[in-house]
């Protein structure tokens, strides 16, 4: 138990450190992308944290297997380089027992990945799709913030208001600048509107929404030409949206509850279920791979074997994705599905794990044949 606790502590600490760094990298890249969409007005800034929170299980279910693989490689690599593994072997720690300890230490990760992949991640994907559908159903003025310039018409216009009510129906200090792309030659007609107040108004009869400005002025013309028009108005209305409809959440098999996928006959749903079950299996297989791959000569350093090991993991993950795509398209028998990939890499893990015994057996066999030939 002392040896197991020591090995488990080394694996868990390294695993958490590696997974934390990987999670920070993946979430930072995704957050920057969503931040760009929020700056462009495609989604509300208030929805960013909710989206990232719901996306977290999906990140973790992919990061934890990789973190486990690298964690075992780094932890055991250090033990080999510092000759601690030699001492443990001299104390009776066999490779099989080392493998058993590794799987036992990784059992919390296997359980966590199972919960994430089978339950939490689908709920998170469904929640994110709902948020995106709601954001798409909202008008541009629903995303307005006071004292901030807001892009309109995909960047062809700019809106500004000094104050806005909580229900976002009444505005004050309104400024609107718009560039009309439908102009003659290469010139762009511009218009600037300034008003002291504004209000959103929805016509129940025609299901149309209008933005109505109070008293103000409108300037229109082509930049660089002296033909600008100035218009004073007491009320100025603009159609905002032709029709208000209910949003629809886009169907994704990743968002469907796992229990609903059992017994499915559609290839896309079968592939989705196999992928979710494959994630815990992936953790088990990478542990089997990491133990023999972590064997390191102290003179070579513990990082020498990391490159081929990471390359093998990438090939494993790419093969799983390719098999899932083939099952989705109906080109691969679901009975084989992703399991054939797991079986191949499980066989590779067994070959690597028993490589020393296999080499000794081959050498012994060749030596015996040479002796027999010499006697003959």
């Amino acid at each position: 138990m002392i040896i197991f606790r020591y090995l488990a502590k080394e694996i868990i600490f390294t695993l958490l450190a590696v997974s934390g760094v990987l999670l920070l990298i993946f979430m930072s890249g995704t957050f920057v992308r969503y931040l760009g969409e929020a700056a462009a007005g495609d989604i509300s800034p208030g929805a960013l944290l909710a989206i990232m929170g719901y996306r977290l299980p999906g990140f973790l279910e992919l990061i934890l297997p990789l973190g486990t693989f690298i964690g075992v490689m780094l932890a055991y690599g250090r033990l080999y380089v510092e000759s601690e593994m030699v001492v443990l072997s001299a104390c009776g720690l066999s490779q099989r027992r080392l493998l058993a300890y590794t799987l036992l230490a990784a059992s919390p990760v296997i359980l966590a990945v199972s919960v994430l992949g089978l339950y939490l991640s689908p709920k998170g994907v469904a929640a994110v799709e709902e948020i995106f559908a709601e954001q798409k159903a909202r008008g541009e003025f629903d995303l307005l913030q006071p004292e901030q310039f807001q892009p309109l018409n995909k960047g062809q216009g700019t809106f500004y208001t000094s104050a806005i009510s909580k229900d976002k129906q009444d505005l004050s200090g309104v400024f609107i600048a718009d560039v009309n792309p439908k102009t003659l030659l290469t010139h762009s007609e511009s218009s600037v509107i300034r008003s002291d107040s504004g209000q959103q108004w929805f016509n129940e009869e025609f299901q149309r929404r209008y933005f109505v400005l109070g008293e103000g002025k409108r300037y229109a013309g082509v930049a660089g030409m002296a033909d600008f028009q100035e218009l004073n108005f007491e009320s100025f209305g603009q159609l905002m949206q032709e029709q208000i409809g209910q949003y629809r959440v886009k169907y994704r098999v990743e968002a469907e509850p796992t229990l609903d996928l059992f017994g499915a006959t559609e290839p896309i749903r079968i592939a989705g279920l196999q992928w979710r079950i494959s994630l815990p299996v992936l953790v088990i297989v990478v542990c089997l791979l990491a133990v023999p791959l972590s064997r390191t000569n102290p003179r070579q350093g513990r990082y020498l074997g990391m490159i081929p090991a990471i390359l093998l993991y990438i090939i494993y993950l790419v093969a799983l994705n390719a098999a899932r795509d083939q099952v989705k398209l109906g080109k691969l028998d679901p009975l084989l599905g992703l399991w054939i990939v797991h079986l191949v890499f499980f066989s590779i893990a067994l070959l690597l794990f028993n490589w020393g015994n296999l080499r000794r057996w081959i050498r012994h066999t060749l030596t015996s044949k040479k002796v027999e030939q010499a006697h003959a």
Side-chain angles (χ1 to χ4, degrees):
M1 291 302 298
I2 295 175
I3 295 176
F4 168 71
R5 286 198 299 267
Y6 177 67
L7 294 175
K9 184 180 71 172
E10 290 290 326
I11 294 173
I12 295 299
F13 283 173
T14 310
L15 183 156
L16 292 177
V18 172
S19 299
V21 173
L22 293 174
L23 182 63
L24 182 63
I25 294 172
F26 280 100
M27 291 199 70
S28 297
T30 306
F31 183 74
V32 169
R33 179 165 60 86
Y34 287 146
L35 195 63
E37 294 182 9
D42 295 333
I43 60 176
S44 171
L48 283 177
L49 291 180
I51 292 174
M52 295 303 298
Y54 287 127
R55 287 292 305 273
L56 183 60
F59 286 123
L60 287 175
E61 70 178 4
L62 295 176
I63 288 174
L64 286 177
L66 177 58
T68 303
F69 182 66
I70 297 177
V72 174
M73 290 284 298
L74 290 177
Y76 288 176
R78 185 189 69 81
L79 295 180
Y80 276 108
V81 169
E82 297 179 2
S83 300
E84 292 186 37
M85 195 64 75
V86 177
V87 176
L88 292 176
S89 299
C91 294
L93 181 66
S94 64
Q95 287 294 305
R96 291 186 179 181
R97 181 173 294 183
L98 178 64
L99 178 59
Y101 286 167
T102 304
L103 291 174
L104 188 59
S107 58
V109 181
I110 299 172
L111 179 61
V113 171
S114 301
V115 174
L116 289 168
L118 297 176
Y119 180 71
L120 293 180
S121 183
K123 291 182 71 68
V125 173
V128 169
E129 288 299 318
E130 258 187 65
I131 292 175
F132 280 134
E134 290 175 354
Q135 295 296 316
K136 290 179 181 178
R138 299 172 70 182
E140 291 179 313
F141 282 78
D142 294 325
L143 304 175
L144 290 178
Q145 297 293 330
E147 298 183 348
Q148 292 184 13
F149 286 96
Q150 177 74 30
L152 295 176
N153 299 327
K154 298 182 179 180
Q156 295 175 1
T158 303
F159 188 95
Y160 176 88
T161 179
S162 59
I164 187 171
S165 61
K166 290 184 178 180
D167 58 1
K168 296 193 176 182
Q169 297 298 315
D170 299 313
L171 296 80
S172 60
V174 178
F175 170 85
I176 303 175
D178 184 53
V179 177
N180 184 8
K182 298 179 180 179
T183 56
L184 297 176
L185 301 179
T186 59
H187 301 289
S188 297
E189 184 179 271
S190 305
S191 66
V192 176
I193 300 176
R194 178 70 175 88
S195 178
D196 295 331
S197 62
Q199 184 180 29
Q200 294 191 60
W201 175 66
F202 181 67
N203 187 310
E204 296 286 350
E205 180 180 0
F206 299 103
Q207 293 290 299
R208 298 287 182 95
R209 186 167 59 159
Y210 297 86
F211 183 65
V212 182
L213 295 173
E215 184 177 358
K217 293 185 177 182
R218 180 179 184 271
Y219 304 92
V222 178
M225 298 185 180
D227 59 349
F228 272 78
Q229 300 176 353
E230 179 180 348
L231 174 67
N232 295 317
F233 57 83
E234 294 183 358
S235 179
F236 185 90
Q238 174 67 43
L239 177 65
M240 292 177 53
Q241 190 168 331
E242 293 185 358
Q243 188 173 2
I244 303 296
Q246 296 294 327
Y247 68 88
R248 291 185 58 188
V249 178
K250 182 180 178 182
Y251 172 77
R252 291 183 61 184
V253 69
E254 292 84 0
E256 192 169 357
T258 302
L259 292 178
D260 295 346
L261 296 178
F262 284 99
T265 56
E266 300 87 350
I268 186 173
R269 299 178 71 201
I270 295 175
L273 177 61
Q274 291 189 2
W275 174 259
R276 297 181 192 183
I277 300 175
S278 290
L279 294 175
V281 178
L282 176 64
V283 179
I284 297 174
V285 176
V286 297
C287 286
L288 296 176
L289 286 169
V291 172
L293 288 174
S294 63
R295 297 171 188 163
T296 306
N297 190 328
R299 296 180 180 180
Q300 295 176 343
R302 57 173 170 168
Y303 299 109
L304 182 63
M306 289 296 297
I307 295 177
I310 295 297
L311 182 60
L312 183 64
Y313 180 88
I314 292 174
I315 295 173
Y316 189 3
L317 200 59
V318 170
L320 282 176
N321 276 288
R324 179 175 61 170
D325 293 338
Q326 293 300 309
V327 174
K328 281 183 181 180
L329 298 174
K331 297 180 179 180
L332 182 63
D333 189 347
L335 293 178
L336 296 176
L338 279 67
W339 316 126
I340 186 66
V341 178
H342 289 301
L343 181 60
V344 169
F345 281 87
F346 179 75
S347 302
I348 294 174
L350 290 181
L351 179 63
L352 292 174
F353 188 78
N354 295 286
W355 182 245
N357 295 330
L358 184 61
R359 288 178 60 186
R360 284 191 292 270
W361 179 80
I362 294 174
R363 189 180 305 162
H364 176 72
T365 303
L366 293 176
T367 303
S368 300
K369 287 184 178 181
K370 289 181 179 179
V371 171
E372 291 177 359
Q373 291 175 358
H375 285 296

